[in-house]
Amino acid sequence: MLEAFLASAIAMATPLLLAALGELIVERAGVINIGIEGAMLAGAFAGVAVAHATGGALAGVAAAIGAGVAINAVFAFVAINLAVNQVVAGTAIDLLAAGVTGVLYQRVYGATGRAFTVAPMRSIALGPLARLPLIGRALFDQPALVYLAFALVPAVAWMIGRSRFGLSLRAAGERPEAADALGLGVYRLRWIALLASGVLSGLGGAYLTLAYADTFVEGISAGRGYVALAVVIVGRWNAWGVAAAALMFGGAIALQFVLQAAATALPYQLFLALPYLLTVAVLALAGGRADAPSALGEPYVRP
Amino acid sequence: MLETRSISRRFGRTLALDRVDFHARPGEIHALIGENGAGKSTLVGIIAGRLAADSGQVLLDGVALRAGVSAVALRRARIAAVYQSPMLFERMTWEENLALGGFAAGASPRALDAVAARARQIAAAAGFELPPPRALVADRSVAERVRLEIVRALSFAPRVLILDEPTSLLAPAELKIFLAALGRLRDAGRIVVLVTHKLAEALAVADRITVMRCGRVVTETRAAESGAAELARLMIGALPDAPARAPRDPDPAAPPALALTGVTLVREGRRVLDEISLTVRPGEIVGLAGVDGNGQAELVEAIAGAVKLDAGSIVPAPGGPAVAVIPQHRDRDGLVLEMPLWENLMLAAPLRARFAPHGFFGRAAARRFCAELLGRFAIRAAAGPACAAGALSGGNRQRLSVARALAGAPRVIVAHDICRGLDLGAAAQVRRALAEFAAAGGAVLLISTDLDELLECCGRLLVMVRGRVRETAPADRDPERLGLLMAGAAA
């Protein structure tokens, strides 16, 4: 049972981690993208639709990336070039994605909710490691996207903390006018960050439909984009912290399944609410914006 | 050659630049002087590609630079600027700040060590010291930041180096070496543009001088052929009145208006304030000299009640209405730039008590009061009390800070570096306001790095070195002698 719990925790943490790493990059550049929920949803739908039509999971993943990038490009244009309030723009993106995927789903697959499924992405067992007791299944027998998500953690940490691009990115998030005065190109940096985040959100969405649910239902992202925002805060705007926070939230979701299965007298809705209660509680305790980029959420307009 | 052709730029209803033609030749130091609001900083911003001009062109060696230049074009043209308000990233280390400049390096430990090594070479040539490894900019003093900015600008190996009021915070010894370094840049065929309000400095260092007034170029002249009085007249139209002096000898029997006894503050194991005792009596302006970063900022924080003392006492108790503090970073600690002028005034507790006695502002009365202060202190604000504080020029912001401090009717004013970056006229007005306050029985503690200012305004002079304060004898009233004391020489 513990083995199943661990495997489930990793599985639940993966889409959060993918989305949160993208959001981390964006926020370090000074942009807060609430539209991440919409980007995940669009990725989830595009992924499963293309995989269903072509029968290929890889094509589905590519489509999910395309959808995530496209959605973020819309957001980038509105929030960066038009300097619209980022929270308003992001919320609009979420509503747009929920509406468009809902309509398309009903048009293409009928309003009856007739089940359609795709072949799930296969798990890749890493040889004898996968047969380790307790942790083998959780860590070494998972779909490729899981390995990718966790491999991205050191990569993103290096990019932000050590690389020249990451340094410029942080400059844009701390003091965009000073970054611009140095010729770093704030608009360009923020666009690149948002497109990269589009790729990661799309992957997070693809994971939901292609590796986890094997189908699509309306609103399948179920607030995971918002949880990813909380993951970034709890992770203190740092890739390693984000990974730890994603695992903690993934664990909470997995725990909810365990508790439901244990079938006590308590109503199951209480367990469903567990991850979200945890989000609120941790945010209240983690509190503070001390580690947040100084210019987070401020549109930059060249003087 | 660097030239601008008929540059105009408008901010709202104000014409900041009116068909400005400016020329600076390779191998010369060109001083750009003028009053606050004359348009110097706007011109510099346009030349460096930070601001777009409404019309006109910037040319370097005959080639027009695109307005609002892209990163690549800026670097190719190698125009580097040090702006009046620091453009550093507070929460990064100084090495990271420099890596973002001309070194164009990453932030791995190895890259940052390489940046530091090259920065030390540049700094040594300019006569600067750099902070300890991996220090955060947020923890460094204003003077150290100016040095970092200059080093970062030099890291571009610039063809054109623009310095907007860089020298006000450098210690006398540093200044000499720095100006010599500028001379070497000139001799290497670079174009150096020095924006300054210090006429003496412009005359001493520059080869040519351009004078601006109200958005126009008034004259361009060879420094060797100009006199200070003539340039001052061109800048402001008339010479400012000499400041009214505070009486030198206040009543020694009067109880002090401000008294510090054994004030001690320990940060990271270091005594940044070390048993400081001082008094300021009613009617006196006491000067506190010292190289920036010797504990002045902490002393101001202590008097303002922003930090908890490790030992000692301050009378009157910090945070009360009797003491008004005018901080050094007016844009960070003093004014909320996004808020209108009248709301900025209401940030002062005594004024809030006066205009919002029951928790609600009498908006009309507060605005009228603000308009009256704007008039009395000659604060130029196009839109009046509703104007955002950020829309004012530096000198006008500083006058607003002083006006706010005085308007609360305090008994003591603690002013830290309040004339930094102000031109002659504006500085004289600010100092006169303080002198009048003292003449009317107020007590002033004036903290400054500018010895000329202190000698001109103050009665008693104190010197602050490494967290300690000591009195000076009348025989020490001499810039050279004070310079030695500031450097820590024995009495």
Side-chain angles (χ1 to χ4, degrees):
Chain A
M1 172 147 139
L2 191 55
E3 188 179 31
F5 166 73
L6 286 177
S8 164
I10 296 280
M12 292 291 93
T14 298
L16 293 179
L17 181 57
L18 285 166
L21 285 174
E23 182 68 18
L24 171 66
I25 296 170
V26 168
E27 293 199 7
R28 287 309 289 259
V31 179
I32 187 153
N33 181 14
I34 290 180
I36 190 168
E37 172 83 9
M40 280 183 96
L41 188 56
F45 179 78
V48 82
V50 169
H52 185 62
T54 64
L58 214 56
V61 169
I65 290 175
V69 168
I71 286 260
N72 273 24
V74 175
F75 175 81
F77 179 73
V78 174
I80 299 175
N81 299 79
L82 304 183
V84 168
N85 180 303
Q86 292 166 8
V87 173
V88 173
T91 309
I93 292 280
D94 288 340
L95 296 173
L96 178 77
V100 168
T101 54
V103 166
L104 285 178
Y105 175 68
Q106 294 193 1
R107 270 291 158 86
V108 179
Y109 302 104
T112 55
R114 177 171 52 94
F116 81 100
T117 54
V118 294
M121 286 180 87
R122 260 174 303 149
S123 292
I124 303 168
L126 298 184
L129 286 173
R131 290 192 293 276
L132 286 173
L134 209 57
I135 56 167
R137 236 185 84 204
L139 299 183
F140 306 111
D141 190 8
Q142 295 275 13
L145 280 177
V146 175
Y147 301 131
L148 176 67
F150 285 90
L152 277 173
V153 174
V156 171
W158 180 87
M159 189 277 284
I160 290 176
R162 301 283 176 94
S163 77
R164 193 166 143 189
F165 176 78
L167 185 60
S168 305
L169 202 70
R170 283 186 277 142
E174 288 298 330
R175 250 189 109 179
E177 76 279 11
D180 216 24
L182 286 172
L184 298 177
V186 174
Y187 288 9
R188 183 185 63 98
L189 287 165
R190 290 185 167 180
W191 259 96
I192 294 173
L194 275 166
L195 295 182
S197 159
V199 171
L200 292 173
S201 306
L203 285 173
Y207 180 86
L208 288 178
T209 47
L210 296 180
Y212 178 65
D214 311 329
T215 184
F216 183 86
V217 290
E218 281 188 57
I220 192 172
S221 50
R224 283 188 176 82
Y226 303 127
V227 175
L229 287 168
V231 164
V232 174
I233 298 173
V234 174
R236 297 263 177 214
W237 287 274
N238 160 321
W240 297 104
V242 161
L247 283 171
M248 184 182 77
F249 281 100
I253 301 173
L255 185 64
Q256 157 215 320
F257 298 145
V258 175
L259 290 176
Q260 274 189 62
T264 60
L266 290 169
Y268 73 95
Q269 288 92 342
L270 203 62
F271 301 123
L272 278 181
L274 189 67
Y276 306 98
L277 288 174
L278 182 73
T279 308
V280 173
V282 168
L283 283 182
L285 292 176
R289 282 176 44 106
D291 300 313
S294 307
L296 184 59
E298 287 173 23
Y300 174 68
V301 184
R302 273 198 125 214
Chain B
M1 183 164 81
L2 172 73
E3 62 180 312
T4 71
R5 284 192 195 150
S6 199
I7 295 263
S8 294
R9 167 77 200 222
R10 190 176 276 284
F11 291 107
R13 294 199 322 227
T14 338
L15 188 57
L17 292 180
D18 185 7
R19 286 162 292 162
V20 168
D21 294 318
F22 172 80
H23 311 268
R25 292 158 194 81
E28 80 175 10
I29 297 179
H30 197 115
L32 181 61
I33 63 176
E35 286 254 289
N36 284 112
K40 307 182 300 271
S41 295
T42 308
L43 182 61
V44 160
I46 288 172
I47 292 174
R50 232 184 108 216
L51 292 171
D54 293 335
S55 61
Q57 278 185 310
V58 179
L59 298 98
L60 184 59
D61 300 324
V63 182
L65 301 178
R66 219 148 39 82
V69 218
S70 73
V72 184
L74 199 70
R75 278 169 196 251
R76 194 171 295 151
R78 288 195 306 167
I79 297 179
V82 174
Y83 297 102
Q84 195 175 0
S85 45
M87 284 280 181
L88 294 171
F89 304 97
E90 297 270 316
R91 299 198 313 183
M92 296 187 184
T93 65
W94 64 268
E95 291 98 331
E96 287 178 316
N97 268 277
L98 294 183
L100 286 163
F103 299 128
S108 67
R110 246 200 16 232
L112 292 182
D113 287 342
V115 163
R118 289 170 65 190
R120 289 197 193 284
Q121 285 175 6
I122 294 178
F128 294 157
E129 292 232 15
L130 288 172
R134 304 295 191 269
L136 282 184
V137 168
D139 299 332
R140 308 323 296 179
S141 73
V142 176
E144 287 179 293
R145 291 172 199 211
V146 174
R147 284 175 227 143
L148 284 175
E149 285 225 67
I150 293 173
V151 170
R152 189 171 68 184
L154 291 172
S155 73
F156 285 99
R159 167 118 169 78
V160 179
L161 177 65
I162 305 172
L163 301 156
D164 194 353
E165 300 283 4
T167 56
S168 3
L169 279 167
L170 299 176
E174 267 183 338
L175 186 59
K176 221 167 164 183
I177 304 176
F178 173 63
L179 292 178
L182 284 189
R184 282 199 297 282
L185 280 177
R186 163 191 54 198
D187 299 339
R190 317 272 191 210
I191 301 172
V192 180
V193 178
L194 182 67
V195 180
T196 180
H197 67 282
K198 288 188 177 166
L199 278 176
E201 196 174 283
L203 285 166
V205 182
D207 303 297
R208 299 185 73 86
I209 298 177
T210 292
V211 183
M212 289 188 73
R213 186 167 80 214
C214 297
R216 296 208 176 125
V217 169
V218 182
T219 185
E220 190 201 309
T221 155
R222 289 183 60 82
E225 293 159 5
S226 338
E230 182 203 343
L231 289 176
R233 195 181 49 72
L234 287 170
M235 268 166 67
I236 40 186
L239 278 175
D241 304 341
R245 292 204 171 189
R248 291 279 188 226
D249 300 307
D251 179 4
L258 175 70
L260 276 66
T261 319
V263 169
T264 300
L265 181 68
V266 181
R267 269 190 192 161
E268 291 164 14
R270 213 161 52 87
R271 292 165 83 86
V272 288
L273 298 181
D274 196 357
E275 295 189 18
I276 291 178
S277 297
L278 63 87
T279 58
V280 187
R281 287 175 211 291
E284 114 179 295
I285 300 183
V286 174
L288 182 64
V291 178
D292 203 59
N294 273 286
Q296 292 99 323
E298 289 80 4
L299 181 65
V300 171
E301 284 175 19
I303 297 174
V307 291
K308 199 170 166 295
L309 299 180
D310 291 294
S313 66
I314 298 174
V315 179
V323 180
V325 171
I326 309 173
Q328 179 184 32
H329 297 268
R330 62 174 174 251
D331 295 345
R332 193 186 74 190
D333 301 334
L335 300 175
V336 181
L337 298 184
E338 294 79 12
M339 278 174 26
L341 299 181
W342 74 270
E343 286 187 5
N344 265 292
L345 286 181
M346 294 306 138
L347 293 177
L351 293 176
R352 258 200 324 273
R354 186 163 143 203
F355 288 97
H358 308 297
F360 294 94
F361 282 114
R363 292 168 62 101
R367 280 165 186 240
R368 259 199 317 278
F369 175 73
C370 179
E372 186 209 304
L373 275 193
L374 296 186
R376 181 148 33 110
F377 287 87
I379 297 165
R380 263 179 276 165
C387 198
L392 300 190
S393 70
N396 284 314
R397 283 182 208 172
Q398 194 60 281
R399 281 201 285 272
L400 182 71
S401 295
V402 176
R404 182 174 64 187
L406 290 171
R411 283 188 287 130
V412 184
I413 287 184
V414 177
H416 190 191
D417 258 346
I418 56 173
C419 291
R420 186 200 171 196
L422 298 196
D423 55 55
L424 290 173
Q429 274 169 337
V430 167
R431 288 176 195 145
R432 193 159 51 234
L434 288 183
E436 282 165 11
F437 173 73
V444 180
L445 179 62
L446 180 60
I447 303 167
S448 177
T449 50
D450 183 344
L451 292 178
D452 296 332
E453 173 179 69
L454 293 173
L455 288 169
E456 180 188 306
C457 301
C458 301
R460 268 190 308 136
L461 275 182
L462 312 174
V463 172
M464 188 160 199
V465 185
R466 275 175 250 116
R468 288 171 169 271
V469 164
R470 78 168 186 242
E471 295 264 352
T472 62
D476 295 328
R477 287 191 79 92
D478 166 72
E480 202 160 313
R481 179 76 193 124
L482 285 172
L484 283 175
L485 291 176
M486 280 161 60

